[in-house]
Amino acid sequence: MNPDAPLLRIRDLYVSYAVRRLPGFSQNRLQAVRGVSFEVQNGSVFGLVGESGCGKTSLARAIIRLVKPDSGSVHYRDFDLSHADAPRSRQARREIQYLFQDPLASLSPRRSIWQTLLEPLLHYRIGNPAGHRTRVGQVLEQVDLLTDVLPRYPHELSGGQRQRVALARALLAEPALIIADEPLSSLDVSMQARMLTLMRKVQKETGLAMLFISHNLAVVQQLATDVGVMYAGELVECGPVDAVLRKPAHPYTQALLDAVRRPASGGLSAPPLRTCAPPGSLTTAPGCSFHSRCPHVMEHCKIIRPHDNFLIATTATGGKHIARCHLWNS
Amino acid sequence: MSPAYGEPVLAVQDLRVTLGARAGGVAVVDGVSITLRAGEILGLVGESGCGKSMTGAAIMGMVPGASGQVSSNSMQLGDLDLAQLDESGWRRIRGSRMSMVFQEPLTALDPVFSVGSQLLEVIRRHQPASRRQARSVATTMLASVGFPDCERAMRCYPHELSGGMRQRALLAMAMVCRPQVLIADEPTTALDVTTQAQILHLIRDLARQAGTAVLLITHDLSIVQAVCDRAMVMYCGRVSEEGPADALLRYPGHPYTAGLLAAMPRLSSGPVEPVQGIPGSVPAPGQRPAGCSFSNRCGRADHLCRSQEPVLHSADPEMSDSPHRHACHHPLAHPIGSATA
């Protein structure tokens, strides 16, 4: 296997859902993900940002095939996940672990934490049974939990403890990639900070790669090496975190940054976006999907769909910085 | 009859809420005093379980009598003594002079009634308006909270709206009678950042226009920074620090406030400052350590902190009546005079 090949490579992925035909809409499929391409390198953290409903979760679920993509490809290591044979599928299932938003929903209420944590070891036949308790103990320590949580049930734990149990369960499968879908949003600020510190520590120690989904750019900056910004199903900007956050190229990224930036002296800084909601993904209006909210809208933005424009690589790592916007047409 | 901007509208002295009947119950709110002034936004901040929502519920008269007892030295809404109200008295006040917005609008709205009918109910219940007048008040209100097509919005059911739009509908219901006090309990926690900013703008603008005093309950200090005039930090049912939002965020005196600030991720254009969480967690009610309740999580705690409970006092040693106050034996030092700057 080529050591320089990306761990995960997504090419032109489309996901849609069948919906009831609504009055005024010509089609009855909701386009959740529209032509997304990006790569996650070994040992890096890719932060995926966007508002609710922009398709982040659909994209993540399509990667692990919880939903079936319409078209496009997902390559994991050197094979295509949609055409992988059984052993390779099994390998990918183990190596790509998913951390869900709400741990109370993703942990079984009827199993003790010990039973929950034992499951990946038994299922993937990792280690020998005599070593299971030691292994679980090690991973619990890694996520800052004491072994006294083992006989307890999810409802007896705090939100922060539950999310750490979910992380421990993912780590026990010895993954190469963790897909974390808004893992912090059910926690309060202090717990968020601890979880974030913990995830950074675990990522550094184990060298695993992460696809980290969040709606908050400030959170993503804490962890990510690369960032992708999604809007209405499209990846509108993508690149190394420094380049994207310091020199945002897409007006939508700029708006997101304004929403979390610290105002210099009290009060609100930036005015909110022009309209309140992104366009319904049911419409296939021509032009750029952001044009109705964009402060820099031009005539041809309303007619022609922009393509990916490469910006000059701005970082030492030479990562590609891409914006899907007419402002950068050369 | 809305009072002038800045005039006190709600004064609560020494509020206590005890839950459970066992052994005298457990105090979840323990001696909190709040004054709200017309048109201002007071942020009430703390981690989950520190008693902030319970404080809001007690002010709205919504602590169920079977499980909790509320007591206070005084609880005045203008010249009305809230402590004397019976349930029918409360029903006249709630929705008209005091109203509330909740975290999860989908559970606060009734799924089987349209937005319009729920809004009309509030108006017809509290105002002597004809059907037609009520309808025109309702559509105007929906327009002012940002619904582009009010006639359509009136007919919408809660599940047909996005999270941000639901929260706008809830705000319309809360503000339609121009209440003197609005209690917003984590109103933007379920929303994403851009919608969050819009809803916060909206709350601030509506409060300024109607002269409503807002108690904004949140765990997120960046929200305090964005819209609040004053802030109050709660820990274990007590106020640990209070003051003008600017001073409190810039010169936190209590280590708990400083801890919350360090936990807040901020965008930086330079090297990323890693966030730091506060070690440990809020002790369960009834299991508070002796002395200062924060002492078991605090890096500055010593023998004094573990034996004697600190009281709220001025953050500025040269000004005993400074509005910036904290309850700490060993507050963080700041440049002299900066506490009120």
Side-chain angles (χ1 to χ4, degrees):
Chain A
M1 197 188 105
N2 178 4
D4 293 334
L7 187 66
L8 187 73
R9 185 158 52 93
I10 289 149
R11 279 283 166 273
D12 219 20
L13 198 72
Y14 281 81
V15 178
S16 67
Y17 301 105
V19 289
R20 190 167 50 107
R21 186 185 289 266
L22 296 172
F25 293 104
S26 55
Q27 53 171 0
N28 52 4
R29 289 198 79 79
L30 185 141
Q31 284 289 340
V33 178
R34 302 192 291 169
V36 168
S37 308
F38 67 94
E39 288 167 0
V40 181
Q41 307 294 337
N42 257 310
S44 73
V45 180
F46 189 93
L48 192 61
V49 198
E51 288 167 287
S52 23
C54 73
K56 310 182 293 272
T57 299
S58 293
L59 173 60
R61 293 187 170 198
I63 293 171
I64 56 165
R65 303 189 71 75
L66 279 180
V67 295
K68 199 167 169 284
D70 297 350
S71 64
S73 69
V74 179
H75 274 83
Y76 175 70
R77 296 194 190 273
D78 49 0
F79 51 93
D80 186 342
L81 281 181
S82 52
H83 299 106
D85 52 15
R88 289 193 143 169
S89 282
R90 202 174 152 81
Q91 179 197 355
R93 281 253 182 269
R94 180 180 68 74
E95 291 189 355
I96 306 178
Q97 288 292 315
Y98 203 101
L99 200 56
F100 292 88
Q101 177 169 358
D102 179 4
L104 201 53
S106 71
L107 297 174
S108 169
R110 300 175 56 161
R111 288 180 167 205
S112 68
I113 303 306
W114 165 246
Q115 286 171 310
T116 292
L117 293 180
L118 196 58
E119 187 63 24
L121 296 179
L122 297 178
H123 182 79
Y124 295 115
R125 303 201 180 100
I126 298 170
N128 61 331
H132 283 347
R133 196 161 274 273
T134 329
R135 180 70 193 127
V136 168
Q138 282 168 351
V139 172
L140 278 183
E141 199 184 318
Q142 219 177 354
V143 300
D144 268 352
L145 283 174
L146 299 173
T147 48
D148 63 1
V149 300
L150 287 177
R152 294 159 79 186
Y153 287 84
H155 73 270
E156 299 175 88
L157 305 181
S158 71
Q161 286 174 320
R162 276 180 216 137
Q163 198 57 290
R164 279 178 283 167
V165 168
L167 179 62
R169 177 175 61 180
L171 290 172
L172 279 165
E174 297 173 3
L177 173 71
I178 288 186
I179 300 179
D181 187 1
E182 303 250 17
L184 306 177
S185 58
S186 58
L187 309 174
D188 68 30
V189 170
S190 167
M191 203 55 240
Q192 268 182 17
R194 286 175 65 191
M195 190 73 194
L196 208 49
T197 314
L198 187 68
M199 289 181 75
R200 191 172 37 221
K201 188 192 79 170
V202 167
Q203 195 270 331
K204 289 250 163 68
E205 281 171 5
T206 55
L208 52 77
M210 235 182 249
L211 176 61
F212 186 88
I213 301 176
S214 173
H215 61 253
N216 190 340
L217 276 167
V219 170
V220 165
Q221 192 186 27
Q222 290 276 329
L223 205 62
T225 44
D226 299 274
V227 60
V229 180
M230 271 188 92
Y231 184 77
E234 293 183 81
L235 199 64
V236 293
E237 183 163 2
C238 166
V241 68
D242 282 354
V244 174
L245 296 190
R246 257 171 233 162
K247 288 181 180 163
H250 198 283
Y252 179 62
T253 315
Q254 285 160 8
L256 273 184
L257 279 166
D258 290 340
V260 283
R261 191 165 275 149
R262 280 165 68 92
S265 57
L268 283 169
S269 55
L273 287 166
R274 275 176 41 190
T275 56
C276 31
S281 311
L282 272 173
T283 53
T284 42
C288 171
S289 50
F290 189 58
H291 80 253
S292 59
R293 298 171 87 188
C294 182
H296 307 290
V297 62
M298 300 172 283
E299 266 318 302
H300 61 283
C301 297
K302 298 172 188 167
I303 312 157
I304 308 161
R305 217 174 136 184
H307 54 83
D308 288 345
N309 283 304
F310 285 86
L311 280 68
I312 298 160
T314 35
T315 49
T317 52
K320 283 175 274 183
H321 186 176
I322 301 168
R324 195 173 275 194
C325 176
H326 285 305
L327 286 172
W328 300 92
N329 287 355
S330 47
Chain B
M1 57 155 275
S2 60
Y5 185 86
E7 205 174 288
V9 285
L10 177 85
V12 179
Q13 283 283 319
D14 209 17
L15 179 72
R16 273 166 217 281
V17 180
T18 357
L19 292 184
R22 269 180 298 133
V26 177
V28 289
V29 177
D30 194 359
V32 170
S33 299
I34 293 180
T35 305
L36 288 175
R37 299 190 182 86
E40 80 161 357
I41 304 184
L42 172 66
L44 186 60
V45 196
E47 287 167 287
S48 328
C50 70
K52 48 191 199 307
S53 289
M54 206 39 99
T55 304
I59 293 173
M60 284 295 282
M62 296 204 306
V63 175
S67 60
Q69 287 96 46
V70 177
S71 70
S72 60
N73 277 351
S74 80
M75 222 162 132
Q76 291 276 337
L77 177 68
D79 47 13
L80 180 74
D81 186 356
L82 295 176
Q84 301 299 320
L85 285 180
D86 57 5
E87 198 44 46
S88 77
W90 272 115
R91 277 201 293 271
R92 276 195 300 278
I93 301 299
R94 289 190 206 119
S96 63
R97 293 183 65 185
M98 282 165 82
S99 58
M100 195 151 181
V101 175
F102 300 89
Q103 171 170 353
E104 185 35 81
L106 199 54
T107 53
L109 292 165
D110 192 321
V112 299
F113 291 98
S114 67
V115 166
S117 74
Q118 296 186 52
L119 185 53
L120 287 172
E121 187 192 351
V122 181
I123 300 167
R124 301 264 290 165
R125 172 147 194 119
H126 293 296
Q127 289 175 1
S130 71
R131 213 167 278 256
R132 179 179 295 184
Q133 283 167 331
R135 211 179 156 78
S136 99
V137 171
T139 43
T140 320
M141 192 65 214
L142 286 175
S144 69
V145 296
F147 277 93
D149 181 353
C150 303
E151 286 303 324
R152 212 187 130 243
M154 291 283 281
R155 292 192 304 270
C156 274
Y157 287 86
H159 75 269
E160 297 177 289
L161 301 173
S162 68
M165 286 323 230
R166 279 180 209 138
Q167 202 56 284
R168 285 170 197 268
L170 210 55
L171 255 174
M173 264 169 242
M175 293 299 292
V176 72
C177 296
R178 300 173 75 88
Q180 288 166 289
V181 173
L182 172 71
I183 296 177
D185 191 352
E186 303 269 9
T188 59
T189 308
L191 307 173
D192 54 43
V193 271
T194 47
T195 322
Q196 218 171 62
Q198 291 165 359
I199 296 290
L200 290 172
H201 268 278
L202 186 62
I203 290 179
R204 190 188 58 180
D205 293 348
L206 290 173
R208 295 262 155 94
Q209 280 161 21
T212 301
V214 181
L215 181 67
L216 185 68
I217 300 174
T218 177
H219 67 260
D220 190 349
L221 280 170
S222 61
I223 287 174
V224 173
Q225 185 170 45
V227 284
C228 292
D229 304 297
R230 287 192 301 135
M232 200 170 216
V233 182
M234 268 185 90
Y235 187 74
C236 278
R238 296 199 178 97
V239 176
S240 63
E241 184 159 8
E242 64 176 351
D246 239 21
L248 186 135
L249 294 173
R250 213 174 300 177
Y251 307 110
H254 200 288
Y256 182 57
T257 315
L260 288 178
L261 277 167
M264 192 170 115
R266 337 164 167 215
L267 274 183
S268 78
S269 45
V272 179
E273 290 170 54
V275 290
Q276 276 170 349
I278 306 169
S281 55
V282 182
Q287 291 171 9
R288 265 182 235 155
C292 173
S293 22
F294 190 56
S295 59
N296 62 337
R297 299 173 75 189
C298 181
R300 304 166 78 85
D302 64 4
H303 178 67
L304 178 66
C305 303
R306 280 182 274 271
S307 55
Q308 198 185 329
E309 196 188 321
V311 289
L312 268 180
H313 59 272
S314 167
D316 186 348
E318 302 196 341
M319 219 174 106
S320 60
D321 58 346
S322 160
H324 187 182
R325 306 195 300 158
H326 50 58
C328 180
H329 291 304
H330 307 293
L332 300 153
H334 293 294
I336 288 184
S338 62
T340 46

